[in-house]
Amino acid sequence: MTEDWVHANFTDENERTDAQKAELALSDRLVDELIAADTLVIGTPIYNFSVPASLKAWIDMIARARKTFQYTANGPEGLLTGKKAYVLIASGGTEVGSDIDFASGYLRHILGFVGITDVTIVAADQQMMKGETALNEALADVAVS
Ligand SMILES: Cc1cc2nc3c(=O)[nH]c(=O)nc-3n(C[C@H](O)[C@H](O)[C@H](O)COP(=O)(O)O)c2cc1C
C-alpha cells in the first residue's frame, strides 16, 4: 500500500494516468478474480493472534471503495453479494472463537464489509495441544459444511 496507490484509487477511473493504472493493476486483478468467483476459500494460520501479513496485504488489495464496498447514507454497503466463503483456520495454541482469537472475527467482519456474509469457519486449532484430533475435528466440520 503506497500513497500513490491511495491517490490513484481516489482518482476518477476515466482520469487515471497510465502510472496510476499500473499502480492499481494488481488490486484490479485480485478484485476481478473475486467478482468472478462464486465461492471463496481462505486457508490461513493464526500468526500472533491474528492473520498473517500476507493475508492482510490481500485484504488491503481487495477492499476497494466503489468496487467492493461503498458508503451510503445508511453506512457502508458491501458490493460482492451472493457469494459463499469458507475460512479454514489453523493454530498452534489459540482457540478459534476465544477472546484472544483476533483472526476469525476480523475475517468474518471484513468479508461482510465487502458483501460476503455467508461465511463458514472451520477450525483446525490448538494443534500443539490436540495433535491429530485438531485435524480430525476440522475434517468432520468440513464434511458437515
Ligand atoms: C510467526 C508465527 C506466529 C504464530 N502465532 C501463533 C499464535 O498467535 N497463536 C497460535 O495458536 N499459533 C501461532 N502460530 C502457530 C501457527 O498458527 C500454526 O503453526 C499453524 O498450524 C500454522 O500452520 P503451518 O505452520 O503449517 O503453516 C504462529 C506461527 C508463526 C510462524
Side-chain angles (χ1 to χ4, degrees):
M1 193 56 60
T2 63
E3 193 177 339
D4 286 345
W5 188 101
V6 175
H7 190 57
N9 191 32
F10 278 103
T11 303
D12 191 279
E13 208 164 343
N14 302 318
E15 290 171 15
R16 283 180 195 143
T17 64
D18 286 345
Q20 286 180 318
K21 288 178 189 163
E23 194 71 40
L24 294 174
L26 173 61
S27 170
D28 284 341
R29 187 158 64 77
L30 295 173
V31 167
D32 287 345
E33 185 179 49
L34 209 45
I35 289 170
D38 298 320
T39 305
L40 171 67
V41 179
I42 295 176
T44 182
I46 289 181
Y47 277 4
N48 294 311
F49 309 100
S50 187
V51 298
S54 51
L55 180 53
K56 178 59 167 56
W58 177 81
I59 290 167
D60 291 341
M61 289 286 116
I62 61 92
R64 282 279 297 272
R66 295 168 303 282
K67 269 184 174 283
T68 62
F69 71 90
Q70 63 188 10
Y71 278 96
T72 70
N74 300 323
E77 180 187 26
L79 300 176
L80 300 177
T81 51
K83 299 181 192 300
K84 164 89 196 167
Y86 293 91
V87 179
L88 304 118
I89 303 179
S91 83
T94 304
E95 184 182 1
V96 169
S98 69
D99 287 350
I100 57 168
D101 158 26
F102 296 94
S104 62
Y106 172 63
L107 287 169
R108 199 182 278 283
H109 175 77
I110 199 74
L111 289 170
F113 182 68
V114 295
I116 305 174
T117 52
D118 185 357
V119 179
T120 297
I121 292 180
V122 175
D125 58 350
Q126 298 189 293
Q127 293 185 19
M128 278 191 322
M129 287 91 115
K130 292 188 194 167
E132 215 167 290
T133 307
L135 179 63
N136 290 334
E137 285 176 357
L139 288 171
D141 280 352
V142 169
V144 171
S145 307

